[in-house]
Amino acid sequence: MLRYLLKRLFWLIPMLFGISLISFFIMHLAPGDITSTEAAFDPKSSEESRQKLRELYNLDKPVIVQYGLWMQRMVHLDFGHSFASHQKPVFWAEKDKEGNVTPGMIQEAVPITLLMNIAGLLITLSLGIPLGVWAAKRYGQWPDRTITLFNFIGFSIPGFWLSLLLMYWLGVIHPWFPISGMHSLNYDQLDFWQKGQDLFMHLFLPVVIPSITGLAGITLFVKNGMLDVLSQDYVTTARAKGLSDHTVTYRHALRNALLPLITLIGLSLPGLIGGSVIAETIFAIPGMGKLFYEAVMMRDFPVVMGILTIGSALTLLGNLLADLAYAWADPRLRKGVMPGR
């Protein structure tokens, strides 16, 4: 197992290098750059000023040279500075000569996105696993049909449409929840508990809406896995030994039924950092999704590459964690025996 883990860790480095190389070249295939974006906002800008900007950002050099310069910084986890006018560092905070600290753009956005997505994941898992087990145990009956109908609705509803609908219904017609930002204007004057309540009210819709689609997927995964496991011989044997239904379901069947879900959770790791572009943009939440969308629109290459690199690293790490979780859940993998042989 240790040898397998070391081998997988060794291959993460060239895979991450290849992903960053492909992403960098594909991104530069898109027409325009930050100078054309700035020219659109300033019609009086001359070609000479735009050329100076290209030289300042090294955009006048060949793409392979630009990638080499970027890699020199990236190995030190330095993703450079944003092309925007504020010139903020992309990743880490920096201190100037006067001692003023400028926080990194990703450093500011990550805690917000983590808070939202971890809350959404906990809601999805805490509801999706019991619903999936219940639907499998009542297969063909009204609970299963009701949950299946919910799954179809959850999969088919577009996230942006549901966001706009609930914003209008719960934020305009019935103003129960705020529909923009993370804090109220008087947030700094509130006490600790009032700040917590204000944060909860602002994040309720951005967290719940993406969880609806995720809940449908988790429920379906758990239900299909349970239906497959409950028909296995060892489950029949456990019942014949007189074990209780609760023990058979949750101690024997559910552990094996969660194998497909382990992969899904492992691959959701990048989403915890990457954020939801739709929810964060619609609700004006300053997280990673909104940051990525704005960087793409502005052709802010350092910010885009920083987010893509972090997302790629987390995707590879998520795959590794999923494989390790598989080995924990299935003893045959720990002993090197492939299932079905």
Side-chain angles (χ1 to χ4, degrees):
M1 189 67 186
L2 179 60
R3 182 180 178 183
Y4 170 77
L5 176 60
L6 294 176
K7 183 179 178 181
R8 288 295 303 271
L9 289 174
F10 174 78
W11 277 105
L12 288 182
I13 298 175
M15 290 179 66
L16 184 60
F17 170 77
I19 292 173
S20 66
L21 179 64
I22 294 173
S23 301
F24 194 90
F25 277 85
I26 290 179
M27 186 176 60
H28 279 74
L29 290 176
D33 53 31
I34 187 64
T35 60
S36 60
T37 304
E38 292 186 0
F41 289 99
D42 185 9
K44 295 182 180 180
S45 63
S46 62
E47 181 61 32
E48 182 181 356
S49 64
R50 279 179 276 176
Q51 182 61 31
K52 289 182 179 179
L53 283 176
R54 293 190 184 98
E55 294 175 0
L56 177 64
Y57 298 140
N58 294 318
L59 298 177
D60 59 327
K61 295 180 173 60
V63 178
I64 189 65
V65 176
Q66 295 182 44
Y67 179 75
L69 295 173
W70 179 82
M71 279 295 298
Q72 290 178 6
R73 297 191 304 267
M74 198 272 287
V75 294
H76 298 94
L77 294 180
D78 178 14
F79 293 98
H81 293 76
S82 171
F83 286 169
S85 57
H86 51 67
Q87 293 285 304
K88 285 186 176 181
V90 174
F91 193 59
W92 298 111
E94 289 186 355
K95 183 183 294 186
D96 58 18
K97 297 180 180 179
E98 299 177 355
N100 300 320
V101 178
T102 303
M105 300 176 68
I106 294 178
Q107 186 181 10
E108 284 184 313
V110 162
I112 299 171
T113 298
L114 274 177
L115 175 63
M116 292 178 54
N117 290 335
I118 290 178
L121 183 62
L122 292 177
I123 293 174
T124 301
L125 293 177
S126 60
L127 294 177
I129 293 177
L131 287 175
V133 173
W134 190 33
K137 292 181 65 176
R138 300 292 186 271
Y139 181 69
Q141 303 178 18
W142 70 265
D144 174 45
R145 294 173 181 172
T146 304
I147 294 173
T148 301
L149 177 62
F150 166 79
N151 290 337
F152 282 129
I153 295 175
F155 275 123
S156 60
I157 292 181
F160 71 91
W161 178 83
L162 183 61
S163 299
L164 295 175
L165 180 65
L166 292 182
M167 283 178 66
Y168 179 71
W169 183 255
L170 299 179
V172 179
I173 302 298
H174 306 285
W176 296 339
F177 298 99
I179 58 175
S180 179
M182 289 188 60
H183 307 298
S184 299
L185 295 177
N186 62 337
Y187 181 80
D188 294 332
Q189 287 133 26
L190 303 177
D191 59 31
F192 177 79
W193 296 109
Q194 290 175 332
K195 287 182 177 179
Q197 182 182 4
D198 183 73
L199 182 63
F200 172 81
M201 297 297 289
H202 278 81
L203 293 183
F204 181 81
L205 290 179
V207 169
V208 169
I209 292 173
S211 300
I212 294 177
T213 303
L215 180 60
I218 294 295
T219 303
L220 186 61
F221 264 79
V222 175
K223 172 191 169 182
N224 292 337
M226 285 294 295
L227 288 176
D228 181 62
V229 171
L230 289 175
S231 61
Q232 299 294 323
D233 293 338
Y234 71 89
V235 175
T236 305
T237 303
R239 295 187 188 278
K241 289 181 178 180
L243 297 179
S244 65
D245 182 71
H246 183 274
T247 301
V248 172
T249 301
Y250 292 98
R251 186 174 179 181
H252 295 278
L254 182 59
R255 181 173 179 177
N256 292 280
L258 290 181
L259 287 176
L261 184 61
I262 289 174
T263 303
L264 190 64
I265 295 176
L267 295 177
S268 68
L269 181 61
L272 296 179
I273 302 295
S276 173
V277 175
I278 295 177
E280 292 181 7
T281 302
I282 291 178
F283 290 97
I285 304 296
M288 290 287 286
K290 186 171 182 289
L291 177 63
F292 182 74
Y293 172 77
E294 292 177 347
V296 171
M297 292 294 101
M298 292 180 59
R299 305 294 195 272
D300 198 344
F301 295 155
V303 178
V304 174
M305 281 304 301
I307 296 176
L308 287 177
T309 303
I310 294 174
S312 302
L314 290 175
T315 301
L316 297 175
L317 180 61
N319 285 330
L320 178 61
L321 293 178
D323 290 343
L324 294 178
Y326 256 98
W328 169 81
D330 194 335
R332 294 172 295 179
L333 297 179
R334 292 200 297 267
K335 296 178 180 180
V337 179
M338 296 299 295
R341 295 186 179 179

